[in-house]
Amino acid sequence: MKIIKNVRLGIVLLAQAAVVGPCLAQQDWQPDRTVLPIRLPARQTYTELDARKATPAKPVMEIQAPSGAPNIVIILLDDMGFGVTETFGGPIPMPTLDKLAHNGLMYTRFHTCALCAPTRVALLSGYNHHSNNMGSITETSTSFPGNNAIRPQTITPIAEVLRQNGYSTAQFGKCHEVPTWHISDAGPQDQWPTRSGFEKFYGFFGGETNQWTPEIYDGVTKIEVPEDPDYHFTADMTDKAIEWVRYLHSVKPDKPFFLYFAPGATHAPHHVPKEWIEKNKGKFDEGWDVMRQTTLQRMIDLGIAAPNTQLPPKPSFIKDWDQLTPDEKKLFARQMEVYAGFAEHTDYEAGRLITAIEELGVIDNTLIIYIAGDNGNSAEGQSNGMFNEMTYMNSVIETVPEMLELMDEWGSPSTYPHMAAGWAIALDAPFSWAKQVASDFGGSRTGMVISWSARIKAKKELRTQFGHVIDIAPTIYEITNIPAPRVVNGIEQDPIEGISLAYTFDNPTAPEKHTLQYFECFGNRAVYEDGWLARTIHKVPWSNIPLAKLEEDKWELYNTQEDFSLSKDLAASNPDKLLSMQGSFMTEAAKYHVLPIDDRLLERLNAKLVGRPVVMEGRNSMYLSEGMMGLGPDIFINLMNTSYLIKAHVEIPTDGNGVIVCQGGRFGGISFYLKEGKPSFTYNYLGLSSTTITSTESLGPGTYELTYDFTYDGGGLGKGGTGCISINGQKVAEERLEKTEPNVFSGTGNDLADVGTDNGTRVADYGSVIKFNGKIIELTIEVRK
């Protein structure tokens, strides 16, 4: 009799296992973890008709992690220099980091890529940032290999490797690894966290967000922030991370987890509850010059820096504190108080997560890697800082007197602030430079602590071996007994580029294994080789103009084993060594897709100029529908420096109210809406001034065609124009706008474009109704050049 196999839903998980052979039980089968997906044993075949007479199989229904594999928690803070935390000699107490250090190892020569997105892709893969095609941030990606922001198929993120090897995986917080033109429901979503190995994602996309009103995704679904006056994103994401860990422990307590905890703090805007600010009142009145000196002395006292370490000079752009006016000192000290509170608050929230893991009784076999910064502190706040960071993005300068009037609000929901660059240099002590400057340890070095009670017995011991973010993934692979995959989805993988740090766990004097590493960001470039650093400072973070042509850059040479702070340039006395290391840089740069070097910045914001995809490319109109929310600048139609027409076919009830379409928020934006039945349009210029055009006619119930027609003056960027509102073709209001924002209303992490509502901060005063209470039948926006 011929037997026909009937594959039931209950064993559909085994459908990929097509190899003919006997069915093996879980305990008898050894997976080949070098090839993903892991190939399961072949299903057993039967000739018996009656299931009651057959012996049930014991198939492999779920891949399990290797025996004893630990839980893994990576905590990655944002924009925090080596000289920030008390743990590593800085001025800001961070008890959670310190607690972990007392139960583990402190890495004093650990490095990042000096910029957000590059560091994150390197951390999450074990490959250099250019190998990941993330030579800079996603917003400045180009069409060149090494810089196009598209992850190669030959690189698989560690979250995906761990997931396919039996781990539960989750990411909470900032995700700056997704190309900007991919951040919409239209996709592609290949690089979204939930397509990159994380089964759970709760966070925001892009470089920064408003901590009070972020644009949050839960998985691939955009969600609204609760209307809670005490809401803060760092606390929210911590709550969600704790819920996730507790759920896992309840349902599958024996299954290990990988949790990536990446707050948007302490990246600008610096937002923190006021009580965290006030506890720092007066602490920084001595200024940034004294801070640099005291930080270095504490590092010497802790054994982090050698007793003979000297402070290199700070950049000439940074004024001496004692040369500032009393008003400047008052304002700048307040900015630092806010930043310090932001850092302490973030560490506190990380501590809540660690406490929750302790309460579950699984902390001993949990590897915790706490990286206090994805790059150095940001000097992008320019010389004076700013109350609203969007002013800088639109080339508007805020003055000290203007900011001083708003000083008491600094860090609150009414602000979008950054601090003066002098603090960044002080918080990157004992080095000279800051974020973006990959060729200086002020841009790349960060404090890291590793704690794992079940395996690491040392208590607050220093580790001085050179390390880099690409070393984290191979460390995890080694300690979990999970290999970096050789083949994934039939595609051969590139050899892993980092080197495991596990060799340092038990031996503080173990010879350094990571002996060669390049650095590059916007033309700032260096190479580390056997304790030496050859580097060039090509571009400073507060200017868009390079210091020299690439081929004319001045190179410097340092012996980092003897000169911790990079204060003694040995290029003149050792030219042969410098020449050799310049050759090493070029070799590494060619190998890892660093070439050609691209030092452009403002030009790279122009997608068309650098070959970056644009969703609206070749289109001058966009059809929108109700429910579309969170459309970023690379998704929404560009209304900057041009004429445009918004046409809305709507059905409204009695007392029509609410937003039809908006872009931006409190700190700059536009909105077309109804208020008390009157069609209105508001242009909010950087939160500094606002122009509202309102119909004199209040509409009753019915169907209407409402238009807002803006005619741009032309003649350059940020010019004015005339806006008029029409109802069913009849003009009902008209007014001039004297100026407009030339560049952006917001970044990609908050205050994006919405239809039928205004999420995030509000562009205008809508009264009590924000969501449109009628029906948007049709909505189009047309750009007229």
Side-chain angles (χ1 to χ4, degrees), residues 226-399:
E227 293 284 347
D228 180 354
D230 296 324
Y231 178 89
H232 191 280
F233 175 67
T234 310
D236 180 23
M237 62 170 276
T238 304
D239 288 342
K240 297 300 189 294
I242 291 171
E243 290 172 8
W244 183 77
V245 170
R246 287 174 174 167
Y247 184 97
L248 291 182
H249 188 71
S250 173
V251 177
K252 289 192 174 183
D254 296 326
K255 186 175 182 179
F257 61 80
F258 171 44
L259 194 162
Y260 173 46
F261 185 85
T266 52
H267 196 294
H270 301 154
H271 285 151
V272 65
K274 192 167 186 178
E275 61 268 23
W276 290 89
I277 301 172
E278 295 307 319
K279 65 190 295 186
N280 289 294
K281 193 170 182 62
K283 286 186 178 180
F284 307 106
D285 291 351
E286 290 183 316
W288 47 60
D289 293 321
V290 171
M291 180 186 287
R292 286 188 86 212
Q293 295 164 359
T294 55
T295 293
L296 174 57
Q297 186 56 55
R298 283 192 295 262
M299 289 180 178
I300 292 172
D301 294 342
L302 289 168
I304 293 171
N308 63 348
T309 302
Q310 302 294 313
L311 272 181
K314 65 180 186 288
S316 59
F317 175 81
I318 307 299
K319 294 180 182 179
D320 290 343
W321 185 264
D322 60 14
Q323 294 179 354
L324 300 177
T325 67
D327 281 353
E328 287 173 326
K329 291 179 179 179
K330 184 178 180 181
L331 174 65
F332 299 164
R334 183 60 170 182
Q335 293 172 355
M336 183 60 210
E337 291 167 6
V338 172
Y339 178 85
F342 197 21
E344 292 178 67
H345 175 259
T346 307
D347 181 79
Y348 167 78
E349 293 298 334
R352 287 206 299 124
L353 173 61
I354 301 303
T355 298
I357 296 172
E358 289 173 340
E359 291 172 348
L360 294 175
V362 297
I363 194 70
D364 284 352
N365 198 32
T366 298
L367 171 73
I368 302 171
I369 302 173
Y370 193 142
I371 305 173
D374 59 351
N375 43 244
N377 261 84
S378 168
E380 295 150 344
Q382 306 296 297
S383 59
N384 296 329
M386 52 204 68
F387 185 78
N388 171 11
E389 196 182 10
M390 291 301 111
T391 58
Y392 167 69
M393 299 295 184
N394 287 282
S395 303
V396 173
I397 298 174
E398 300 180 40
T399 67

Side-chain angles (χ1 to χ4, degrees), residues 532-586:
W532 290 78
L533 184 79
R535 66 99 177 270
T536 182
I537 306 297
H538 176 75
K539 184 177 170 299
V540 298
W542 43 78
S543 174
N544 298 315
I545 302 172
L547 300 176
K549 294 180 180 179
L550 288 165
E551 60 272 17
E552 297 174 0
D553 279 326
K554 177 189 175 184
W555 281 73
E556 301 164 3
L557 180 68
Y558 299 92
N559 183 344
T560 70
Q561 301 284 16
E562 298 178 0
D563 180 12
F564 186 83
S565 59
L566 308 182
S567 63
K568 303 176 183 67
D569 178 12
L570 304 177
S573 61
N574 207 338
D576 291 341
K577 180 69 174 177
L578 176 61
L579 186 63
S580 172
M581 291 189 66
Q582 287 175 302
S584 294
F585 174 82
M586 289 301 292

